[in-house]
Amino acid sequence: MRSFRIFVQKEFFHIMRDRWTTLILLVLPILMIILFGFGITTEIRNTKFAVYDPSGDYTTRGIVNKLESSEYFTLERYIDSEDEIERLFRRGETGFAIVFGDNRILLIADGTDPNTASVLTNYATALINSYLQESAVRQVGGGAATDVAGDPPVASATAAAHRTITPEIRLLYNPSLKSAYNIVPGIMGMILMLICAMMTSVSIAREKELGTMEVLLVSPMKPFLIILSKIVPYFTISVINYITILLLSVFVLKVPIAGSLILLSGLSLLFIFVSLLLGILISSVVDKQITALLISGMMLMMPAVFLSGLMFPIESMPEVLQWLSHILPVKWFIIAVRSVMVKGLGISSILQEVSILIGMGIIILIISIKKFKYRLE
Amino acid sequence: MLKYLLEKEFKQFFRNKALPKMAVIMPFMAILIFPLVANFEIKNINLAIVDHDKSSTSRQLIEKVAAGGYFTISDVAESYAEAMNGIEVNRSDIILEIPARLENDLQREGKTTVQISANAVSAIKGGLGSTYLAGIIGEYNIEINGKITTVINPDSITITPRFWYNPRLLYTYFMVPALMVMVLAMVCGFLPALNIVGEKESGTIEQINVTPISKLNFILSKLLPYWIIGFVVLTISFLAAWVAYGLTPVGSIGTIYLFAALFVLAFSGFGLVISNYASTLQQAMFMMFFFVLTFIFMSGLYTPVANMPQWAQNLSIISPLKYIIVVLRQVYLKGSTFTELHTPFWMLTSFAIFFNGWAVLSYRKKS
């Protein structure tokens, strides 16, 4: 047991001596949480818009005021001709313009960014409709148009019309529509994968490349324990990172843990083990650091970022890629974490994901045991 | 002297098995496959319907929603709880709950409410989905009120949205120019970073250090090959975008090359700075990974910089990727000309001078 402790200690020394890598391993989760959590936002706030209004009458000014007073739009300026819009768009100063004509309003959006463009025109249409209906009610003498300023534009769009169905929108799990709710489980999967699979495989490959693996293997330690001593430090770092991510997401991003913390931790432990096994599997097939780096980078990290649903919705991908995404352990982990952490569901709802992860773990374990024995002979 | 150094770099590049292939294949792969994956387009939202009313009005409303194109009806449930099960197992994304007295209330009192409950774990999907659905219900209101509205509002103003530069709102058009930048950043950022570290690890840098080669010449010899490779990679990306999506720049190709030249210079310089400080391949990879990730997220690649919190917007000034992505999107889709792109030009020029100056200064011949 004592010799095992010394082996583990040696591994820790390896990691700690490389200051840059240690620093990055510990800071990377923090950076990612902050960048992904705050950086990717689909909220539209204070979009600058330009107005071309040759008539300048009461209604058009009212509409501009209505848009201006909402939190979504800020008036950039009035322009003197329609051609000017082209210039503004091309310089990238604004991406939205309103052109008033006789009985028609043209909403011109810069379609370069399709999602923003469609959200902007949706909001503006709703706001203008609600203004027109309010003023219509006022003209008729109803006067009692409800004050709808500050409500979400769409919900209030038709509040004053005659026969109306008002949609009441409830946003489940994430009422303030923070992208962080979606991102945190993804980052958790990505970081754990990075540390466990990539770092483990590279560190074992380095021993092989430098020839020191032979030295370790001739020691009286059992090969199984040698590998175990290699994983212990990365396991520790993963656990530290897991705790960092949870703390940051709860206290900085304000993403609460809706479900059971014990279940979440158990799930993460399971995933850490699967990733460590993957790392060992990779290291048993390669014998150069750079190959280990490339294999884990190309076959684990890239798919983990792009195919796992971390950022891009899997449903929008072509069928083939959707099938491909099924073989990624990280995908199942992310789905399960979302269920537990964000939706607050219990173990019964994540049985499928958990059993898939366990199944994958067992398969990888069997393959790597076979490969490992082969290497020793 | 520089000539021989360049010859050496090119020979090394072409002798490597993987690198030349990578420089050709990577742009193709990125332009062809990536837009399929990096897709924030929201379509086929799965809708669960709980219709307590089962009247002709509610059926009309449901038909209207289903015909909208955004929604697929995945579930027709008897109760909200039943529909909620579907949300929990990700079978449906949004529940539309129609109250029992919808038609009745609508005719007697003129108003009623329906419930939209959206799974907002993915803010984009939940937010856009519920907005679309509310929009369709709004249209339905206008339909049933058609005549009445015109009586109250004699002007009957029509609102027409127009989408310039990308009338069909294709997400691909948004991503492809930015992906070209990504490929450039990968090839012209990572390769120089790995290059000097490679020489350090194999010990050949010592041989260069004992020659009378000046710091400037050494850095130039490392920089220029990637500059040229950058042009090749960019041209391949143009071709791939044209072949796959029929996308050609509206603006001038010359403008794109000019800005790309500046960007590659700046970013390769950055790669060289990293390689001067790193001592192992693994360190260099990690440092690049760390910075490139930061730059990408500050660049507005996925979501507009203007929507970020203020501190993030301030921070985004230091991302060279931000400027070149803006330039490529503007020139490719809008046809902006050089006079409209002054800020990116000066910023990229400053980055190029700053990083390359730093690379020359931080390269030490003495160990």
Side-chain angles (χ1 to χ4, degrees), chain A residues 296-317:
Chain A
S296 45
M298 291 293 155
M299 290 173 64
L300 297 179
M301 283 309 291
M302 294 281 278
V305 177
F306 297 115
L307 290 180
S308 64
L310 159 70
M311 286 178 54
F312 309 107
I314 296 181
E315 311 88 78
S316 305
M317 293 175 197

Short mmCIF file of all heavy atoms in Angstrom, two decimals, chain A residues 296-317:
data_model
loop_
_atom_site.label_atom_id
_atom_site.label_comp_id
_atom_site.label_asym_id
_atom_site.label_seq_id
_atom_site.Cartn_x
_atom_site.Cartn_y
_atom_site.Cartn_z
N SER A 296 -7.57 11.94 -28.71
CA SER A 296 -8.58 12.38 -27.73
C SER A 296 -9.16 13.73 -28.14
O SER A 296 -10.32 14.01 -27.87
CB SER A 296 -8.00 12.41 -26.32
OG SER A 296 -6.74 13.00 -26.31
N GLY A 297 -8.33 14.55 -28.80
CA GLY A 297 -8.85 15.84 -29.25
C GLY A 297 -9.88 15.69 -30.34
O GLY A 297 -10.97 16.23 -30.28
N MET A 298 -9.52 14.89 -31.36
CA MET A 298 -10.39 14.79 -32.53
C MET A 298 -11.60 13.89 -32.27
O MET A 298 -12.70 14.16 -32.73
CB MET A 298 -9.62 14.21 -33.73
CG MET A 298 -8.57 15.12 -34.27
SD MET A 298 -9.34 16.56 -35.02
CE MET A 298 -8.04 17.75 -34.88
N MET A 299 -11.36 12.78 -31.54
CA MET A 299 -12.45 11.82 -31.41
C MET A 299 -13.28 12.02 -30.16
O MET A 299 -14.39 11.52 -30.06
CB MET A 299 -11.91 10.39 -31.46
CG MET A 299 -11.43 10.07 -32.87
SD MET A 299 -10.60 8.51 -32.98
CE MET A 299 -11.90 7.39 -32.56
N LEU A 300 -12.73 12.74 -29.17
CA LEU A 300 -13.52 12.96 -27.96
C LEU A 300 -13.92 14.42 -27.79
O LEU A 300 -15.08 14.74 -27.60
CB LEU A 300 -12.75 12.50 -26.73
CG LEU A 300 -12.41 11.03 -26.66
CD1 LEU A 300 -11.62 10.73 -25.41
CD2 LEU A 300 -13.68 10.21 -26.67
N MET A 301 -12.92 15.32 -27.87
CA MET A 301 -13.22 16.71 -27.57
C MET A 301 -14.10 17.37 -28.62
O MET A 301 -15.10 17.99 -28.30
CB MET A 301 -11.92 17.52 -27.42
CG MET A 301 -11.21 17.30 -26.13
SD MET A 301 -12.31 17.50 -24.73
CE MET A 301 -12.61 19.26 -24.82
N MET A 302 -13.70 17.26 -29.88
CA MET A 302 -14.47 17.91 -30.94
C MET A 302 -15.92 17.43 -30.94
O MET A 302 -16.84 18.24 -30.90
CB MET A 302 -13.82 17.65 -32.31
CG MET A 302 -12.48 18.30 -32.48
SD MET A 302 -12.64 20.04 -32.86
CE MET A 302 -12.96 19.95 -34.60
N PRO A 303 -16.15 16.10 -30.95
CA PRO A 303 -17.54 15.65 -30.90
C PRO A 303 -18.23 16.10 -29.61
O PRO A 303 -19.40 16.44 -29.62
CB PRO A 303 -17.44 14.13 -30.94
CG PRO A 303 -16.11 13.84 -31.51
CD PRO A 303 -15.22 14.96 -31.08
N ALA A 304 -17.45 16.13 -28.51
CA ALA A 304 -18.07 16.52 -27.25
C ALA A 304 -18.57 17.96 -27.34
O ALA A 304 -19.60 18.31 -26.78
CB ALA A 304 -17.09 16.38 -26.10
N VAL A 305 -17.82 18.80 -28.05
CA VAL A 305 -18.24 20.20 -28.15
C VAL A 305 -19.39 20.33 -29.15
O VAL A 305 -20.35 21.04 -28.90
CB VAL A 305 -17.06 21.09 -28.59
CG1 VAL A 305 -17.52 22.52 -28.77
CG2 VAL A 305 -15.95 21.04 -27.57
N PHE A 306 -19.27 19.64 -30.27
CA PHE A 306 -20.20 19.96 -31.36
C PHE A 306 -21.39 19.01 -31.47
O PHE A 306 -22.45 19.41 -31.90
CB PHE A 306 -19.44 19.99 -32.68
CG PHE A 306 -18.40 21.06 -32.69
CD1 PHE A 306 -17.06 20.75 -32.76
CD2 PHE A 306 -18.77 22.39 -32.60
CE1 PHE A 306 -16.10 21.76 -32.75
CE2 PHE A 306 -17.82 23.39 -32.59
CZ PHE A 306 -16.48 23.07 -32.67
N LEU A 307 -21.19 17.75 -31.11
CA LEU A 307 -22.27 16.79 -31.35
C LEU A 307 -23.08 16.44 -30.12
O LEU A 307 -24.06 15.73 -30.19
CB LEU A 307 -21.71 15.49 -31.95
CG LEU A 307 -21.17 15.56 -33.36
CD1 LEU A 307 -20.67 14.19 -33.78
CD2 LEU A 307 -22.24 16.03 -34.32
N SER A 308 -22.64 16.93 -28.97
CA SER A 308 -23.26 16.44 -27.74
C SER A 308 -24.50 17.23 -27.35
O SER A 308 -25.16 16.90 -26.38
CB SER A 308 -22.25 16.52 -26.60
OG SER A 308 -21.94 17.88 -26.39
N GLY A 309 -24.81 18.28 -28.08
CA GLY A 309 -25.93 19.10 -27.66
C GLY A 309 -25.50 20.13 -26.65
O GLY A 309 -26.32 20.82 -26.07
N LEU A 310 -24.17 20.24 -26.43
CA LEU A 310 -23.65 21.23 -25.49
C LEU A 310 -24.05 22.64 -25.92
O LEU A 310 -24.53 23.44 -25.13
CB LEU A 310 -22.12 21.11 -25.43
CG LEU A 310 -21.30 22.28 -24.94
CD1 LEU A 310 -21.50 22.48 -23.46
CD2 LEU A 310 -19.81 22.05 -25.19
N MET A 311 -23.87 22.94 -27.20
CA MET A 311 -24.23 24.27 -27.68
C MET A 311 -25.30 24.22 -28.75
O MET A 311 -26.21 25.02 -28.77
CB MET A 311 -23.00 24.94 -28.29
CG MET A 311 -22.03 25.39 -27.25
SD MET A 311 -20.62 26.10 -28.04
CE MET A 311 -21.40 27.30 -29.07
N PHE A 312 -25.15 23.29 -29.66
CA PHE A 312 -26.05 23.27 -30.79
C PHE A 312 -27.09 22.18 -30.59
O PHE A 312 -26.76 21.07 -30.22
CB PHE A 312 -25.26 23.00 -32.07
CG PHE A 312 -24.09 23.91 -32.22
CD1 PHE A 312 -22.80 23.44 -32.03
CD2 PHE A 312 -24.27 25.25 -32.50
CE1 PHE A 312 -21.72 24.29 -32.14
CE2 PHE A 312 -23.20 26.09 -32.60
CZ PHE A 312 -21.92 25.62 -32.43
N PRO A 313 -28.36 22.51 -30.81
CA PRO A 313 -29.40 21.52 -30.60
C PRO A 313 -29.22 20.31 -31.52
O PRO A 313 -29.03 20.46 -32.73
CB PRO A 313 -30.69 22.27 -30.94
CG PRO A 313 -30.28 23.52 -31.64
CD PRO A 313 -28.89 23.80 -31.22
N ILE A 314 -29.24 19.11 -30.93
CA ILE A 314 -29.02 17.90 -31.71
C ILE A 314 -30.13 17.71 -32.74
O ILE A 314 -29.91 17.23 -33.84
CB ILE A 314 -28.93 16.66 -30.78
CG1 ILE A 314 -27.71 16.80 -29.87
CG2 ILE A 314 -28.83 15.36 -31.56
CD1 ILE A 314 -27.50 15.65 -28.94
N GLU A 315 -31.36 18.16 -32.41
CA GLU A 315 -32.49 17.94 -33.31
C GLU A 315 -32.32 18.66 -34.64
O GLU A 315 -32.93 18.27 -35.63
CB GLU A 315 -33.80 18.43 -32.69
CG GLU A 315 -34.06 17.98 -31.29
CD GLU A 315 -33.45 18.96 -30.31
OE1 GLU A 315 -34.01 20.03 -30.07
OE2 GLU A 315 -32.37 18.63 -29.79
N SER A 316 -31.50 19.73 -34.66
CA SER A 316 -31.35 20.48 -35.91
C SER A 316 -30.31 19.86 -36.83
O SER A 316 -30.09 20.34 -37.92
CB SER A 316 -30.95 21.92 -35.62
OG SER A 316 -31.87 22.52 -34.76
N MET A 317 -29.64 18.82 -36.35
CA MET A 317 -28.58 18.23 -37.16
C MET A 317 -29.15 17.19 -38.13
O MET A 317 -30.23 16.66 -37.91
CB MET A 317 -27.56 17.54 -36.26
CG MET A 317 -26.81 18.48 -35.40
SD MET A 317 -25.76 17.56 -34.28
CE MET A 317 -25.41 18.83 -33.08
#
